[in-house]
Each structure stands twice: as C-alpha cells, then as structure tokens.
Amino acid sequence: MGIFNYYGLIIIVLILLPNIAFVALNKDGFKNAYENKPLEICEQIGRFGCFILMIVNVPYTYFGFRFNYALAAYLAVNGALTFVYLLGWIVLWKKPGVLRALLLSITPSAIFLFSGVMLTNVPLSVLAVLFAITHITLSYKNAAAEESK
C-alpha cells in the first residue's frame, strides 16, 4: 500500500453513507443533550484526523503491515466491523437510546484503532484513541440524557 489507501477510502465512504442519509432525512439534525465544548472539539479533531489518515498514509509515520496475510486480516476485520456498523444503522434507525449510541460509536472507533495498529500508522493510532474516548463518551452521555427526559 502506498500513500493512498483505497481500502480506507471505501471504509470511510461506507461509514459516511448512513450518516449522510440520517442528516438528509432529519432536517432538524441531531440535538446534543450533553454539551462539553472541549470534548466536542477533541472529538472533531479525532474524527477528521482519522478520516484523512484512513485514506492518506503520511510518509515516515506509516510503516505498513508487519506480518504475512496482514492485508487479509485488515480487510476481514474492517469488513466485519463495517458490516456491523451498517447493520446497526439499519436495525436501530428509529430506536434512539444508549444501545444505538454505543454501537454506532464503538464500531467506528474500533475500525480506526484496528486500522492504525494493523498499518503501523502512528498518527492514526493516536487520533483513533482520542476519537474513541471522546466519541463514545459524548454519544453515551447524549443518549443517557435523552433517555432520562
């Protein structure tokens, strides 16, 4: 794999499709019941950093696969996680709550972290940890606050 990661691009497109559909079908958007600006800023830095680094392998920060059949493992695990994410959107589309929030925040976090580790991509791994901590926290707290209303 060179500087451009076509597999990562496909994964990002698949992850974004249900999000784009959700925004298009819900004109009011998503309202945060829990607000924490520093956490939200860190989440966005992690999110967009992971999106970019899933697609672009920055030289000298990306060291590639470390074992035979690593590409097969990368594709199989990310394929399964992406499938679970898409299935979660389909099954839980009209069912807001903690289960949906956790499934739809843990799964992309796992994709980004697994990809960073498998590709030995240092910045992707670091940003995936930042994204996971902030995204899962915000998703859970928003869902819990909505359920308690």
Side-chain angles (χ1 to χ4, degrees), residues 39-100:
L39 216 54
E40 291 170 15
I41 291 167
C42 288
E43 178 194 27
Q44 294 306 321
I45 291 168
R47 176 190 322 273
F48 290 107
C50 286
F51 285 176
I52 292 166
L53 294 171
M54 284 286 293
I55 300 167
V56 178
N57 296 314
V58 179
Y60 307 110
T61 65
Y62 149 81
F63 302 99
F65 296 118
R66 293 292 186 194
F67 60 91
N68 292 337
Y69 305 108
L71 175 60
Y74 172 83
L75 293 174
V77 172
N78 277 335
L81 288 169
T82 302
F83 177 76
V84 167
Y85 182 76
L86 295 173
L87 187 62
W89 264 110
I90 292 166
V91 171
L92 301 171
W93 183 266
K94 299 260 184 198
K95 299 176 184 160
V98 171
L99 174 63
R100 180 173 97 172

Side-chain angles (χ1 to χ4, degrees), residues 65-145:
F65 296 118
R66 293 292 186 194
F67 60 91
N68 292 337
Y69 305 108
L71 175 60
Y74 172 83
L75 293 174
V77 172
N78 277 335
L81 288 169
T82 302
F83 177 76
V84 167
Y85 182 76
L86 295 173
L87 187 62
W89 264 110
I90 292 166
V91 171
L92 301 171
W93 183 266
K94 299 260 184 198
K95 299 176 184 160
V98 171
L99 174 63
R100 180 173 97 172
L102 289 176
L103 178 67
L104 298 180
S105 61
I106 291 171
T107 312
S109 298
I111 290 169
F112 297 149
L113 188 56
F114 179 76
S115 296
V117 170
M118 285 298 292
L119 292 168
T120 323
N121 187 323
V122 176
L124 177 56
S125 299
V126 170
L127 288 171
V129 170
L130 175 68
F131 175 73
I133 292 167
T134 56
H135 188 56
I136 294 166
T137 301
L138 289 169
S139 296
Y140 173 77
K141 289 193 177 271
N142 273 311

